[in-house]
Amino acid sequence: MKKISIVVPCYNEQEVLPLFYEEIQKVMLQIQEEHTDTNFELLFINDGSKDNTLQILREMAKKDERVRYVSFSRNFGKEAGMFAGMENAKGDYVVIMDADLQHPPKFLPLMYNTVLSGKYDCATTRRVSRKGEPKLLSWFSRKFYKIINKISQTEIVDGAQDFRFMTRKMVDSILSMKEYNRFSKGIFSWVGFRTKYIEYENVERAAGTSTWSFWKLFCYALEGFFAFSTAPLTLAFVLGIISCLAAFVMIVVIIVKKLCFGDPVQGFTTLICAIFLVGGLQLFCTGISGQYLAKTYLETKKRPIYLVSETEEDARKTEEF
Ligand code: UDP
Ligand code: MG
């Protein structure tokens, strides 16, 4: 028998979970009709939801033994959710998908067949349009991919998503990357393996609201830069060299000027401009180094990526007693 683990990170998804469960059941049946040697586990990660998500998961786990869940002690973020899902999944294949049906379950049979063909270790979807997304956000996203692919050795594919069907081998490779500052879009590429991209039009969320504000996405983009590129450090270094060269030229000019024309008190404006420019440059470069230092600081603490407060086993136990 082959087992597919479907990992679903959930944060305040009470409205959409029943819809998701209904949809995924249809697809699981469809797959089992074609592949009788396949069974499933549904592994939900409750990422510290403040609504009734956990209660819904408890109910689902009691009724359906394929349903498992891991509930975090607080909100750790989707990255931690995905990591926990992969770590706790028992399947030979692991699928990661959102609860809001933005990752259409109808792709699962195709993804499964793609991986089963033996030609690929991973099947994933790629949005070809950004329909339903604010124009400004799309513009920034495109710029982000352009820049990060210029400055990072790891290819970050535009429109690629966390909706992935992976073999155990690939999942174990991802799990071997224990970094605390996780940027999955980069991690998926970094581990390599043969990946098939299935293109599709963007789908809007079935119910509930997205937790990603513009600011959060901006911070996530910065996370990507700092996690998968050291180019900003090089930039700081290059800026330093350029200002040194400029300073050297200025010193020569000023000395020559003094020797030829004497030393009238002049150049107050130049002086102030130079102080501000160099001061700004210095702060900017220190800031860049600071970012890397902060990341290193967090990594060296070796804090756990997530903490569990409850799993489906607890729920099943209380039912028995
Ligand atoms: N999610 C999570 N933890 C968070 C935020 C989001 O586990 O802190 C989950 C969420 O429940 C959903 C998926 O990550 O299943 C994607 O989130 P969302 O739909 O808000 O993001 P978007 O689709 O807008 O990128
Ligand atoms: Mg969504």
Side-chain angles (χ1 to χ4, degrees), residues 7 14 18 24 36 40-41 74-75 79 110 112 129 133 143 145 153 195 211 229 254 257 264-265 281 297 302 305:
V7 168
Q14 60 176 17
I24 203 75
T36 42
F40 288 90
E41 82 176 352
R74 64 167 170 85
N75 179 255
E79 293 288 338
L110 173 62
Y112 188 31
S129 80
E133 199 180 72
K143 281 279 164 294
Y145 284 107
Q153 262 98 10
T195 302
T211 48
S229 169
I254 288 166
K257 225 168 145 189
V265 182
L281 267 179
Y297 172 63
K302 294 223 181 309
I305 296 169

Side-chain angles (χ1 to χ4, degrees), residues 276-290:
F276 276 115
L277 178 72
V278 174
L281 267 179
Q282 273 176 344
L283 277 181
F284 178 65
C285 296
T286 320
I288 291 177
S289 323

Side-chain angles (χ1 to χ4, degrees), residues 13 98 100 102 205 210:
E13 299 287 11
D98 286 2
D100 57 10
Q102 275 188 306
R205 188 176 241 288
S210 169

Side-chain angles (χ1 to χ4, degrees), residues 126-175:
R126 201 170 83 87
R127 306 194 281 190
V128 279
S129 80
R130 291 183 167 271
K131 212 171 62 189
E133 199 180 72
K135 288 243 158 17
L136 189 69
L137 193 64
S138 302
W139 187 83
F140 271 106
S141 305
R142 269 195 291 272
K143 281 279 164 294
F144 164 73
Y145 284 107
K146 227 182 189 153
I147 297 174
I148 198 157
N149 280 315
K150 275 222 175 87
I151 65 175
S152 170
Q153 262 98 10
T154 311
E155 195 199 0
I156 317 271
V157 181
D158 188 358
Q161 294 175 308
D162 301 330
F163 183 19
R164 280 171 191 259
F165 194 114
M166 293 172 284
T167 56
R168 181 45 53 192
K169 227 189 250 168
M170 179 160 175
V171 171
D172 287 342
S173 311
I174 292 171
L175 287 174

